[in-house]
Amino acid sequence: RKHWQESPFELKILADRAFCEGMTRVVYHTMPHSPAEAGVPGWSYQAGTHIHPKMTWWPMIKPFNDYLARCGAMLMQGNFVADVAYYKGGQVPNFSTTKYIRPDLGFGYDYDDINTEVLLQVTEVKNGRIVLPSGMEYQILVLPEGEKMELPVLQKIEELLAKGATVIGPKPSKIYGLADYQAKEKQLSAIAEKIWGKSGRKIDKKYGQGRIINGKNTRDILEDKGIFPDLQVVNRMGNPGIDFIHRSTTTHDIYFIRNLDSVSNQAHIKFRAVGAPEFWLPESGMMQPVSVFTQDHKGTTIPMHLHPFASLFVVFDKQAAVPMHVTSISRESSPVFPSISTVNDGVYIEVRTDGWTLTNSRSADYRIELGSGKNQQLKIDKTAVDIAINGPWQVRFPAGWRVDTDQTFDSLSDWTSFADPDLKHFSGIATYRKSFTIEPAAIDSISNWVLDLGSVGEVATVYLNGVLLGQSIFKPHKLAITDQLKSGENFLVIEVANTWKNRLILDSQLPFNQQLTKSNLSNSKDPLDRPWKDATPMSSGLIGPVRLIKYHQIRIDP
């Protein structure tokens, strides 16, 4: 149990997994009544995740709520795209597991589990696809292993086969239950023998307009039917490292993808969809045309760099004409795309309102090829400028927590590295202030500036020259500052919030009358037997390093 210890980033990882498993809307079930007299973090239930106004990072929660709302809105569009329906059988109890990569299907195809009620509703088979009344479609129906099946289910399977469905599974021979079982099993056996034949062990044959199969791999059958994987990943990791879900409307294909790992994943991702692709970023709401990709009869390949546990939507407009785009990139005569042999970190080609630009973090000669066949040689002769914002920093802590309210940090440090136990275990919001100077010659019209906060524990609100840049709740903590940065003196303010964990750990070691936090939660009848008493403090504060990065750009003539 992680009472009051979770950050928005940890909750995002859980939400992203649920989104890929089919969740379409997040609802906060309830918030406990926790008046001022209850203290902080206050009263709560023993179960569940705590999200309420007494969370340390509650003042910075809006971007997290916006993220969940945008994801939910997108994932309620159209229908889920699944190639296979796995019929779960009629046994009781009957449970489906959480989403996993099925051995017979492998990565890149998605599936649904359906029960008897849903299967018996199916009446339509369109172009070989089983169609539910809801509009869901499946290329293949897979039956469960075992010899038992309900008679109405087998009759439905025969009906679907006759209409053109593809069905994989063993021949049934028995029914569930004992009511009139002899007569029902006789009917079942007669229909089964007609469909599967006498043995039914290894078959692949036509039945009606459909196809009945047993003893073959589901993935191989899909490929035989010309159904390519919905998502393919080529990288240097040896495994995809990516989860996804795909929804489709009459006008758009919508993919939500997430990096499963705590390290970056640089990959070429092939989507089965075609059309005009865009990146839709649920953290900010920004929509960016994809400028580098290739398309063929199997789909669209896009080079992507996913930060640790990153997630985004890739949206294809089915009705729009495929825009002008880059189909290959070489750097110093070495392929960057579509080859995966050369890591292309730091290469960004953007379509903007004022044209196309190429941005790179280091000087290099480039050759790009457009979809029209046109080639261009490009040269970036300046490396990125990396400016460290070093100490001292003025740091203000709130009163009432046995921490000096106004302090000077000579350099940025993790709060847990300090000797003062109250600072080491501080939970809440602290404000960092720092001024820095930019030479006039450094400001130009052809560069992008980014503020990189480095490591942050856990969330930050950033102001530059009195302007709110935004709230950074997910890694990497980088914000665009080109429009707010000015020559001369600049003033930076960063508010940082961690979780309650560190203070709860310290208070669990103090006498009751010395504790600053209050909670109704304990591991036993002893109110001091707290769930977090043996936990390890988590890194907190602005840890950095904080840097200004200037990326040089060169205009591309499409």
Side-chain angles (χ1 to χ4, degrees):
R1 291 174 294 178
K2 299 189 69 175
H3 297 295
W4 293 301
Q5 300 175 48
E6 293 163 313
S7 68
F9 188 64
E10 290 179 276
L11 297 177
K12 170 196 182 296
I13 296 170
L14 297 176
D16 287 348
R17 173 179 173 175
F19 284 135
C20 285
E21 291 177 351
M23 181 175 72
T24 58
R25 177 180 295 178
V26 176
V27 177
Y28 293 162
H29 175 268
T30 186
M31 291 182 182
H33 174 61
S34 187
E37 293 81 1
V40 290
W43 299 338
S44 191
Y45 306 110
Q46 289 283 353
T49 296
H50 307 311
I51 299 181
H52 56 77
K54 288 190 175 181
M55 300 296 293
T56 50
W57 40 264
W58 182 265
M60 304 182 191
I61 198 175
K62 186 178 186 302
F64 179 64
N65 287 338
D66 289 345
Y67 174 84
L68 297 178
R70 292 187 185 110
C71 289
M74 292 293 290
L75 294 171
M76 285 189 280
Q77 305 301 312
N79 282 321
F80 169 49
V81 176
D83 294 304
V84 181
Y86 288 88
Y87 171 56
K88 295 296 293 181
Q91 71 272 15
V92 177
N94 196 347
F95 298 102
S96 287
T97 63
T98 55
K99 176 181 174 181
Y100 68 103
I101 298 176
R102 290 180 174 265
D104 65 314
L105 198 55
F107 176 80
Y109 293 101
D110 218 334
Y111 68 91
D112 253 341
D113 288 336
I114 62 172
N115 62 10
T116 300
E117 179 185 6
V118 172
L119 180 57
L120 292 181
Q121 293 176 13
V122 181
T123 59
E124 183 182 4
V125 178
K126 181 172 64 177
N127 298 324
R129 300 189 300 273
I130 297 168
V131 183
L132 299 185
S134 65
M136 279 294 305
E137 299 183 357
Y138 308 100
Q139 296 285 347
I140 294 175
L141 172 66
V142 178
L143 307 178
E145 293 297 324
E147 58 183 0
K148 290 186 176 182
M149 183 175 288
E150 295 158 290
L151 181 58
V153 170
L154 184 57
Q155 292 169 335
K156 175 60 68 174
I157 290 169
E158 183 182 27
E159 174 193 331
L160 298 178
L161 283 167
K163 292 180 178 180
T166 298
V167 179
I168 304 173
K171 177 183 177 182
S173 59
K174 297 182 182 299
I175 67 163
Y176 293 99
L178 297 175
D180 198 19
Y181 77 94
Q182 291 176 321
K184 290 178 180 178
E185 283 187 355
K186 187 175 180 179
Q187 287 181 268
L188 183 88
S189 296
I191 298 172
E193 188 163 326
K194 187 165 56 167
I195 296 173
W196 276 268
K198 288 193 177 293
S199 94
R201 287 181 186 151
K202 285 192 176 182
I203 62 166
D204 184 350
K205 69 172 188 176
K206 287 185 65 65
Y207 187 89
Q209 298 180 52
R211 183 178 170 194
I212 182 69
I213 303 165
N214 189 27
K216 285 191 174 181
N217 184 278
T218 308
R219 187 183 185 95
D220 293 340
I221 296 166
L222 284 167
E223 292 178 349
D224 288 345
K225 289 165 65 73
I227 310 301
F228 307 110
D230 200 12
L231 198 81
Q232 300 176 69
V233 178
V234 178
N235 58 26
R236 302 166 78 180
M237 296 169 56
N239 66 82
I242 285 172
D243 193 8
F244 77 101
I245 192 168
H246 176 193
R247 297 188 70 89
S248 182
T249 72
T250 55
T251 58
H252 291 83
D253 278 297
I254 301 167
Y255 289 83
F256 178 73
I257 63 174
R258 68 182 184 110
N259 182 2
L260 296 172
D261 211 333
S262 59
V263 297
S264 295
N265 188 341
Q266 184 157 314
H268 295 162
I269 302 179
K270 184 155 196 171
F271 303 84
R272 194 162 63 195
V274 294
E278 292 186 328
F279 294 138
W280 290 21
L281 309 180
E283 295 174 30
S284 64
M286 292 180 61
M287 296 175 285
Q288 301 173 347
V290 178
S291 54
V292 183
F293 62 92
T294 60
Q295 285 190 350
D296 58 25
H297 69 288
K298 294 184 179 180
T300 305
T301 301
I302 302 174
M304 298 180 66
H305 182 96
L306 298 174
H307 294 290
F309 297 115
S311 54
L312 79 161
F313 289 92
V314 183
V315 180
F316 294 83
D317 188 332
K318 301 176 184 179
Q319 300 178 332
V322 176
M324 184 62 68
H325 59 282
V326 174
T327 57
S328 72
I329 306 172
S330 296
R331 180 173 57 206
E332 307 293 354
S333 301
S334 296
V336 172
F337 178 75
S339 170
I340 197 68
S341 61
T342 302
V343 175
N344 65 343
D345 278 338
V347 182
Y348 307 98
I349 294 180
E350 299 175 283
V351 180
R352 307 192 311 186
T353 54
D354 59 349
W356 287 27
T357 61
L358 180 146
T359 303
N360 189 35
S361 59
R362 61 188 176 95
S363 58
D365 290 325
Y366 286 89
R367 178 182 177 275
I368 66 170
E369 183 175 330
L370 303 178
S372 62
K374 179 181 177 181
N375 295 320
Q376 251 188 85
Q377 298 292 136
L378 303 171
K379 182 179 181 63
I380 292 184
D381 54 8
K382 295 180 179 179
T383 59
V385 177
D386 192 326
I387 303 173
I389 302 182
N390 297 316
W393 291 78
Q394 302 305 313
V395 186
R396 171 165 289 183
F397 292 89
W401 292 96
R402 301 180 188 143
V403 178
D404 290 340
T405 54
D406 291 292
Q407 301 191 36
T408 299
F409 286 5
D410 292 331
S411 60
L412 295 175
S413 299
D414 184 339
W415 295 342
T416 64
S417 67
F418 286 85
D420 177 4
D422 290 301
L423 178 51
K424 178 177 182 177
H425 292 89
F426 173 77
S427 292
I429 300 176
T431 303
Y432 291 73
R433 290 178 170 84
K434 174 72 181 174
S435 62
F436 60 91
T437 302
I438 296 294
E439 297 297 327
I443 303 294
D444 56 52
S445 61
I446 60 170
S447 299
N448 276 340
W449 287 85
V450 171
L451 175 65
D452 184 349
L453 301 182
S455 179
V456 174
E458 288 290 319
V459 298
T461 301
V462 184
Y463 301 85
L464 181 61
N465 298 323
V467 177
L468 174 63
L469 292 180
Q471 291 166 322
S472 185
I473 57 174
F474 304 145
K475 303 173 184 178
H477 296 284
K478 295 182 179 181
L479 299 95
I481 60 169
T482 303
D483 295 335
Q484 284 74 38
L485 192 68
K486 63 181 183 180
S487 61
E489 187 176 35
N490 291 261
F491 190 61
L492 180 64
V493 177
I494 305 172
E495 298 173 347
V496 179
N498 61 348
T499 74
W500 280 118
K501 181 178 183 179
N502 292 354
R503 186 67 216 187
L504 289 169
I505 292 172
L506 178 61
D507 280 355
S508 68
Q509 302 165 7
L510 297 176
F512 191 75
N513 61 358
Q514 295 181 26
Q515 296 181 13
L516 297 180
T517 56
K518 294 181 180 180
S519 167
N520 64 317
L521 301 181
S522 65
N523 287 329
S524 66
K525 292 182 179 179
D526 180 358
L528 297 182
D529 184 18
R530 297 300 173 83
W532 41 80
K533 66 178 183 178
D534 298 320
T536 302
M538 65 190 301
S539 295
S540 298
L542 181 60
I543 303 167
V546 177
R547 302 178 299 147
L548 297 173
I549 306 174
K550 177 183 178 181
Y551 293 101
H552 296 284
Q553 295 182 315
I554 187 168
R555 188 178 180 88
I556 300 173
D557 180 12

